[in-house]
Amino acid sequence: MTAPAPFGPLEFQLVLLRRMADHQPELVEEARQELSASLADMREANRRWQAMARAPRGRGTLRRYRSVLGEPELSVRRTVGDLECDALFWPMPLWPGLRFEVMAAPGGAVWNEWLVRAPGATGPELRTVEDLRPWSCTVDEVARAFAPARPMEGSAPTRWALAITDPGSGRPYVAEFTWGLFQRLLPG
């Protein structure tokens, strides 16, 4: 029996795409082709990721990210409220202007994991809801541009939503994100 192929950054990007396919199947299809991966490759990457995450004696979440993505490109100490944590960043070739950020508490417990703008990279100018394009911006960017945005529970563990108001029309909307990346806008 042959050993399974290594699970690395390519496979991890397929895991991210698998959840995004629910809202942006065309963009996922283009990205899959860019990665030269089949639908079967994407399903298998997701199956293996889920198996690693649910293994009874598996690695902790932070160790799993390090084993799959290697050492982070950047690690920064942050204080969020009363909690001091480490923000670790890995490049994602599909999204060169973004980084996969993992927020880890002392001891390695992961409490947030998503895509963010790369340090020093310029994000889109967001003035009205018409400026929101799928995969163009992150949760943090939309929250700042449409302050005061109200966080809402997402429909799955890797999903987030923000209740926002269009400054031009005053109409309410819900911006939905998968792995921190904007997916779609719904009437609020």
Side-chain angles (χ1 to χ4, degrees):
M1 191 165 144
T2 62
F7 194 101
L10 168 67
E11 291 78 13
F12 182 69
Q13 289 176 107
L14 292 173
V15 169
L16 300 181
L17 290 172
R18 177 91 159 100
R19 182 62 76 180
M20 291 180 191
D22 295 340
H23 297 309
Q24 294 299 329
E26 298 84 15
L27 289 175
V28 168
E29 178 63 23
E30 290 172 21
R32 235 184 5 82
Q33 289 177 10
E34 185 178 325
L35 294 173
S36 300
S38 68
L39 273 172
D41 294 333
M42 191 166 70
R43 281 191 296 271
E44 178 62 12
N46 192 63
R47 185 197 66 74
R48 289 180 62 196
W49 179 258
Q50 295 302 323
M52 283 189 279
R54 292 186 172 102
R57 281 177 290 211
R59 301 175 180 112
T61 306
L62 184 56
R63 287 186 60 210
R64 186 172 59 249
Y65 281 121
R66 286 180 184 272
S67 74
V68 167
L69 300 173
E71 284 303 307
E73 174 183 79
L74 177 67
S75 180
V76 178
R77 178 67 68 161
R78 284 198 189 142
T79 302
V80 180
D82 293 340
L83 179 65
E84 197 165 297
C85 61
D86 291 312
L88 298 98
F89 301 89
W90 286 271
M92 292 286 111
L94 266 177
W95 300 283
L98 301 176
R99 296 295 179 265
F100 190 76
E101 177 190 65
V102 172
M103 299 287 283
V110 170
W111 59 274
N112 196 34
E113 50 212 315
W114 60 7
L115 291 163
V116 297
R117 188 69 48 198
T122 305
E125 192 170 325
L126 303 173
R127 292 177 303 244
T128 69
V129 294
E130 284 79 25
D131 296 326
L132 296 173
R133 302 278 182 258
W135 294 16
S136 70
C137 49
T138 65
V139 171
D140 189 48
E141 291 166 336
V142 173
R144 277 195 316 267
F146 296 93
R150 184 174 49 85
M152 302 172 67
E153 192 168 327
S155 59
T158 60
R159 292 193 178 144
W160 293 264
L162 290 174
I164 63 172
T165 301
D166 182 28
S169 69
R171 289 191 183 109
Y173 290 91
V174 174
E176 293 188 333
F177 303 83
T178 302
W179 291 104
L181 194 57
F182 176 71
Q183 300 296 311
R184 67 182 182 172
L185 189 68
L186 302 171

